[in-house]
Amino acid sequence: MKIKTLLSSVLILIIIVLPRMTLASSLSFSPTSQKVAKGELLKVGVYISTEGEDINAVTGHLNFPSEMVSVDSINYGNSILSFWPEAPHKTSGGVISFSGVTPGGYAATSKGLLFSVVFKSLKEGSVDLSLSDYMALKNDGEGSKVSLSSGTSSIVVTPVSSSITTSAGTDASKNLSQEAIVAKDGEAPETFIPLVGDHQDIFDSKYFIVFSTTDKISGIDHYEIQESVWNYAAPSSWVKAESPYLLRDQKLHSYVFVKAFDRAGNTRMETLYPLYPQKFYQSIAFWVIIILVTFFVVFFFKKKLRSEICPTNNENQNRS
C-alpha cells in the first residue's frame, strides 16, 4: 500500500514538474539547416517561443562567420517587438546586435518572429549561426529575467555547379538574386501608423515616435522623418531615422511625417498630426500675418498723412 502511494506521488510530481521543465522559453532559428550554392542568398529568421510566459523585452547577439557569409539585409518589419532601443544591425566582425521591447507584453504558445537576416554565401563549407549574450525580461513590472535557451542553424555552402535543394524544398539554383528582386519591385511599402510614446527606459521618459512597416518584394531599406509646424513636408528637410526616434518637439505641437523607402526606391509617407495643436495665437504664421498687417497699416497712414501735409505747404507758398 505504501509503495502504491509512493508511486502515485512520484507520478503526480512528474506530471506537474515535467511540462514546466520542457516548456521553457527559447530562441531559435528557422530554418535550422539549409543548403545553398556559393554566391546565392539565403534567409534565416530568429524566433522566440515563450510557451505562454508574458515577456516585454529581448536582447542578444547573433553570431556568424563573416568570412563565409555576409549580411545582405536585415528585416524587422513583422517583428513582435515594436520598440527598438537597438534595432538589429551588424556590428564589428560577424555579429548582429539587437535589443527590442514590446509594451504590453507578448505571450503566445506559438513562436514569434524577432527579425530575419538575408545572408550571401561567400565560400564553400559549413556555416554555423548561434546566439549569445541573450536575455528576455518578464512583463511583470519588475523586469525579472526569463529562463531562456537558444538553438543554432547550420548552412552548407556548395559549389555553384551543384544541384541542391533547400530545407524549404525549393531548387536553390532557381532563386532570384537580390538585384533581380529589386528590379521587379514597383510597389510601395505597406501602409503603417506612426505612434507617439514615452517610457522610463527609453530616452529618459521623453516623447518619441515608433514606426514599422514591411515591403513584400524587395524589403525596407530605410526611413526618413520630418517635423514641421506646417501641414506639408518640405523637400529638403528630411533626416534618416530609426525607430524609436526622439522627437525634437517635446510639446507635441508639430506635424510628424514618416517616409519608408524600400530597396527599389519606392516610398510610402504617413503623417502623424499634432497631439496638442497650438492655439491660433501661438503659431508663427499668426504673428507673421499680424506683423505684415501692422506694417501695411502704418505705411498706409504715413502715406495718407504726407498727402494731407503736402497740399497745405503748397497753398502757403502760393499765398506768400
Side-chain angles (χ1 to χ4, degrees), residues 185-192 213-220 260-270:
D185 188 1
E187 299 181 11
E190 299 293 313
T191 58
F192 60 101
T213 188
T214 58
D215 185 83
K216 295 178 181 178
I217 303 176
S218 63
I220 295 298
F261 292 76
D262 67 17
R263 302 190 71 189
N266 304 306
T267 63
R268 170 81 65 182
M269 189 180 81
E270 302 291 353

Side-chain angles (χ1 to χ4, degrees), residues 188-200:
E190 299 293 313
T191 58
F192 60 101
I193 302 175
L195 298 173
V196 170
D198 63 310
H199 193 276
Q200 61 182 4

Side-chain angles (χ1 to χ4, degrees), residues 145-161:
K145 291 184 180 180
V146 174
S147 178
L148 194 63
S149 61
S150 72
T152 59
S153 180
S154 298
I155 302 164
V156 176
V157 182
T158 64
V160 177
S161 59

